Amino acid sequence: MVGLQTISSGAFAARSEDGTVRLGLVAPMSGPNARYGAFSMRGAQMAAKEINDAGGVGGRKISVMPGDSQGTPVEGVSATRRLIDQDQVDFIIGDVSSSVTLAMQPVVEDAGVLLLNAASSNPMITYKAGVGGFKWSFRNYPTDENRALLVLQYAAEKKGFTKYAVLSVDSDYGRAAIQFTKKYLPRFKSAIVTEDYYKEGEVDFRSVLSKIRDSGAQAIIMYGNADSSPIVGRQMMEVGIAGKIPLIGNAEFNTASTIKAAPKAMEGAIEAAAWLPAYDSPKSKAFVEKFTAEYREAPNNHAYVHWETVHLLAKAIEQAKSIDREKVRAALSGIKYDSAVGEVTFDDHNQARLPMILLEIEGGKPAIKGAYKAEIDYPK
Amino acid sequence: MFYTIIEQVVNGIVSGSVYAIVAVGMTMIFGVLRAINFAHGEYYMLGTFGAWFAIDYFDLPYPVAVVIGVVATAVIAVVVGNFVMQRIVGAPAEAGVLATLGVALILQNTVILLFGGSYKFFSGGYIEPVSVFGFTLAEQRILIIIVGLVTFVGLELMVTYSRMGKAMRAVSQNIECCAVVGIDVRHIALWTFIVGACLAALSGVLTAPVNVSVYGGMGELITFKTLPIIIMGGLGNVRGTFVAAMILGIAESLVATYVGLQFRDTVGFATLMLVLMWRPHGLFSAQARF
């Protein structure tokens, strides 16, 4: 017991005014999603190194302290507590998984530590933040609602579609995405004509695809897993709707193996992404190049968002001219930050107004159709 | 409207043919070993992986890959048959359940260890759609229906006329009497198991081109689709299995169209419950009730 106290008072002593910015990073460092955690950590560390090499923020160096959530809410909460109580961090970035982030929110709220999420997509996180309740939670990542809205907006405005068939995975993700799509259907005077959900591992879509063929739908809204897309694509070719009714939504339509499996069906498929390595902006290209040189591996989405979010936080600290949490929070609320995909500002729910990149498969290759944003309707 | 129904029935017959080829192996194994082979879907997976391996690593044409997939599975089945399945003969029912579940876990995870857990892409087969009586189908599906029919006719002939087939029927009726008249029960059990596993593998290789994704866990779903079919068909009954597979295929197809795709997987067990309430020994059993 005495030993424990010595250790913890030692930890307190470490929290001197040594002038560093103490930044916690909660991510799945072990467990099934460990790969995402590793990418997140590398992205964040690369950003911290860049900032420190350039002299730090207002003369302060950033030190990134990892906390392992293992991808589960229980571990995520204890990692957050450890970062706050022992490592004495002022700011936390995390987690990747939405359920972990949701569990972390009340913890940081009690401690008054600023949480800036960089990779969770569940809309609830920022429904409950800002004017919604939690004052210390921010998110710099597009939500599933953003995605559903932007895909629908693009399909309606650029393609002139008004009638849709739904074929989504029967999971929280697949069903929620359709819920959000339905919320915005009236905005685009559109309707859903058939609605089906498939179980993970389903291999026979012929019945439902023939039904869609006869329903008069102009596009199929699909939110699902990467493994179902090639099967759906091939069976679309079989029932004769490939090239006539495109797939829209998110299910890795633009990966090379999916396109190769059913080139005719994937033609015209529309997908929205937060970021992807092929995105053509000078800042994005420079990031990909530097990350690949540093780690001998191309960055994924998680590496990018954590890299960008550390830079965003650094800018807020610089504008606040202090590491005082309240001042940084105020600076973050009013920030105008130029990210690799476009300008970032926060709404009154502490949710970043972020552009998403829209992709359309053209001639067997994903073509980037630009970055779009849209305003979310919060529930009253 | 009428056209849609016919089209969905055709779709159902296609999926029914796949179920039938897998299920017939499982029901034969049950007949002889008195054990439900919970690893049955794994042989379906092994066949698919064998063919995928041949195409992806050695660039072999699809027909050769089919043979390689089935032969590779046969080799594994010989090993499993000798070490596990033969010992189940005459053992209590729980031994069979545990042993086959164990084999399922080992096979599945060995494949995942060797090839990784990610989804693989199966590139062989004949996937061009063709038009038959106004319906469009991939050529591969027509092949599946034909192979399904040939398999069943072949099995019927074998079970009725060949010495091995007669011995299989004898073993499924009375093990002690077989021993008395000099039928090598363990030998018959081994061969039945190998034939059953090969049929599952064949079904896997035939459906791979239309199902596209190949992964270690793909067998599980097949096992659980097959289970209600063999019970409905009357455990051990080859002809009954064929009819039950077709009923399930068509019922699933109609439910997916008129009720919703999300209810498709409930069809098998719902139909099974209804059938069992009416005929507890399956649709084609001589005994209607205990």
Side-chain angles (χ1 to χ4, degrees):
Chain A
M1 204 54 216
V2 176
L4 266 181
Q5 269 171 349
T6 324
I7 291 166
S8 58
S9 58
F12 277 114
R15 201 235 160 144
S16 55
E17 290 304 315
D18 58 358
T20 59
V21 177
R22 304 175 75 82
L23 170 63
L25 178 78
V26 179
M29 311 289 181
S30 63
N33 291 333
R35 210 175 137 65
Y36 297 159
F39 268 123
S40 308
M41 190 66 196
R42 286 177 164 184
Q45 276 174 331
M46 194 172 111
K49 190 164 172 286
E50 286 168 358
I51 294 163
N52 294 344
D53 287 351
V57 259
R60 296 168 200 274
K61 303 270 183 208
I62 295 182
S63 88
V64 179
M65 312 193 167
D68 183 7
S69 70
Q70 298 176 22
T72 66
V74 174
E75 292 299 326
V77 164
S78 25
T80 308
R81 288 232 161 89
R82 267 198 305 279
L83 286 171
I84 295 171
D85 298 338
Q86 289 179 21
D87 296 327
Q88 301 282 307
V89 299
D90 292 303
F91 312 101
I92 294 178
I93 294 181
D95 185 89
V96 171
S97 150
S98 289
S99 51
V100 178
T101 307
L102 285 164
M104 286 165 63
Q105 284 182 291
V107 180
V108 295
E109 191 70 16
D110 286 347
V113 168
L114 185 70
L115 173 68
L116 181 52
N117 178 273
S120 299
S121 60
N122 188 326
M124 279 312 289
I125 293 166
T126 38
Y127 276 9
K128 296 197 299 186
V131 293
F134 294 134
K135 301 291 174 222
W136 291 98
S137 299
F138 283 74
R139 167 163 53 188
N140 178 37
Y141 193 73
T143 71
D144 294 334
E145 184 169 359
N146 278 118
R147 186 193 297 275
L149 168 57
L150 284 170
V151 166
L152 193 65
Q153 176 178 297
Y154 185 85
E157 287 175 359
K158 305 280 170 183
K159 299 280 158 189
F161 297 153
T162 52
K163 284 189 277 180
Y164 301 95
V166 166
L167 180 57
S168 273
V169 66
D170 197 2
S171 70
D172 285 349
Y173 169 68
R175 287 198 176 254
I178 299 305
Q179 282 304 316
F180 297 125
T181 304
K182 283 183 178 166
K183 183 172 158 187
Y184 295 99
L185 282 172
R187 194 189 278 190
F188 303 105
K189 300 190 175 52
S190 302
I192 285 174
V193 288
T194 69
E195 190 173 349
D196 285 278
Y197 299 89
Y198 66 87
K199 298 265 184 269
E200 280 177 45
E202 175 67 65
V203 291
D204 192 347
F205 297 92
R206 286 177 49 91
S207 311
V208 77
L209 289 171
S210 342
K211 181 170 77 179
I212 290 172
R213 179 194 60 208
D214 303 335
S215 72
Q218 292 160 305
I220 302 172
I221 305 178
M222 180 168 163
Y223 289 90
N225 320 84
D227 51 287
S228 303
S229 306
I231 312 180
V232 171
R234 282 224 174 148
Q235 298 186 3
M236 282 169 72
M237 288 161 72
E238 272 190 63
V239 301
I241 58 173
K244 292 177 189 150
I245 309 181
L247 291 163
I248 65 172
N250 182 258
E252 296 196 21
F253 306 139
N254 64 67
T255 53
S257 64
T258 309
I259 298 176
K260 192 178 148 216
K264 208 177 151 198
M266 290 303 149
E267 197 63 26
I270 297 165
E271 194 157 37
W275 178 82
L276 68 170
Y279 186 61
D280 197 10
S281 78
K283 199 176 170 188
S284 177
K285 288 275 180 218
F287 164 72
V288 173
E289 212 167 278
K290 194 165 175 207
F291 189 96
T292 315
E294 186 101 12
Y295 300 109
R296 290 158 189 228
E297 180 177 28
N300 79 343
N301 179 37
H302 296 109
Y304 163 73
V305 291
H306 283 85
W307 173 79
E308 191 78 274
T309 303
V310 171
H311 277 292
L312 169 71
L313 182 66
K315 189 174 180 199
I317 295 172
E318 209 169 276
Q319 287 189 350
K321 298 190 177 63
S322 153
I323 53 168
D324 183 73
R325 296 162 185 175
E326 302 238 6
K327 286 183 185 156
V328 175
R329 184 177 65 176
L332 202 55
S333 303
I335 206 162
K336 273 203 173 93
Y337 173 80
D338 280 316
S339 82
V341 286
E343 192 188 67
V344 179
T345 56
F346 286 89
D347 65 18
D348 60 359
H349 277 262
N350 298 350
Q351 166 67 43
R353 293 189 188 91
L354 274 174
M356 286 190 93
I357 300 163
L358 274 146
L359 297 161
E360 193 175 332
I361 317 276
E362 280 176 351
K365 289 208 168 56
I368 291 170
K369 290 292 177 184
Y372 291 82
K373 37 169 125 176
E375 205 63 22
I376 291 292
D377 293 338
Y378 285 99
K380 295 285 177 290
Chain B
M1 179 65 196
F2 184 66
Y3 176 83
T4 317
I5 294 179
I6 301 289
E7 185 178 18
Q8 297 308 345
V9 170
V10 173
N11 284 341
I13 290 172
V14 177
S15 22
S17 308
V18 176
Y19 296 156
I21 308 177
V22 189
V24 75
M26 194 158 165
T27 209
M28 283 167 63
I29 294 172
F30 180 87
V32 171
L33 291 170
R34 296 275 157 225
I36 292 201
N37 180 18
F38 283 102
H40 207 67
E42 266 53 53
Y43 302 102
Y44 173 95
M45 178 270 292
L46 286 173
T48 317
F49 257 91
W52 167 80
F53 185 76
I55 292 174
D56 242 52
Y57 285 67
F58 301 104
D59 235 351
L60 293 169
Y62 179 68
V64 182
V66 173
V67 177
I68 291 178
V70 175
V71 171
T73 311
V75 173
I76 296 165
V78 169
V79 178
V80 176
N82 270 301
F83 285 102
V84 185
M85 302 310 279
Q86 277 198 338
R87 294 163 203 252
I88 296 176
V89 180
E94 53 269 37
V97 174
L98 284 178
T100 54
L101 273 177
V103 169
L105 286 174
I106 292 169
L107 292 177
Q108 207 181 100
N109 288 291
T110 308
V111 167
I112 293 174
L113 272 176
L114 286 177
F115 299 107
S118 64
Y119 290 81
K120 279 109 193 125
F121 170 71
F122 195 93
S123 52
Y126 313 101
I127 51 158
E128 281 310 306
V130 286
S131 198
V132 187
F133 307 120
F135 306 115
T136 49
L137 286 168
E139 293 156 344
Q140 186 74 26
R141 291 190 198 271
I142 297 167
L143 184 68
I144 292 171
I145 299 179
I146 295 170
V147 173
L149 286 173
V150 169
T151 306
F152 269 86
V153 172
L155 279 177
E156 275 291 331
L157 292 177
M158 184 193 85
V159 171
T160 322
Y161 298 108
S162 78
R163 188 175 160 74
M164 174 62 79
K166 287 177 185 166
M168 282 177 184
R169 279 192 292 153
V171 173
S172 70
Q173 282 167 13
N174 194 322
I175 292 179
E176 286 78 15
C177 287
C178 287
V180 170
V181 297
I183 295 174
D184 184 345
V185 174
R186 288 170 67 90
H187 179 75
I188 298 295
L190 177 65
W191 274 101
T192 311
F193 173 69
I194 294 170
V195 170
C198 287
L199 286 172
L202 178 66
S203 168
V205 186
L206 285 175
T207 42
V210 282
N211 291 353
V212 198
S213 292
V214 181
Y215 57 100
M218 65 193 289
E220 258 169 45
L221 277 169
I222 292 295
T223 307
F224 288 106
K225 283 260 159 128
T226 315
L227 207 55
I229 296 176
I230 66 166
I231 300 173
M232 267 193 279
L235 289 160
N237 185 333
V238 171
R239 225 171 297 170
T241 303
F242 182 80
V243 178
M246 289 300 166
I247 292 177
L248 184 66
I250 294 168
E252 277 192 351
S253 182
L254 293 175
V255 165
T257 315
Y258 296 106
V259 186
L261 188 58
Q262 57 270 41
F263 297 103
R264 180 193 187 106
D265 286 348
T266 56
V267 176
F269 286 98
T271 322
L272 175 65
M273 280 188 264
L274 291 176
V275 168
L276 289 186
M277 280 196 279
W278 171 47
R279 289 181 75 90
H281 284 272
L283 284 174
F284 303 94
S285 165
Q287 287 167 282
R289 275 197 183 278
F290 282 103

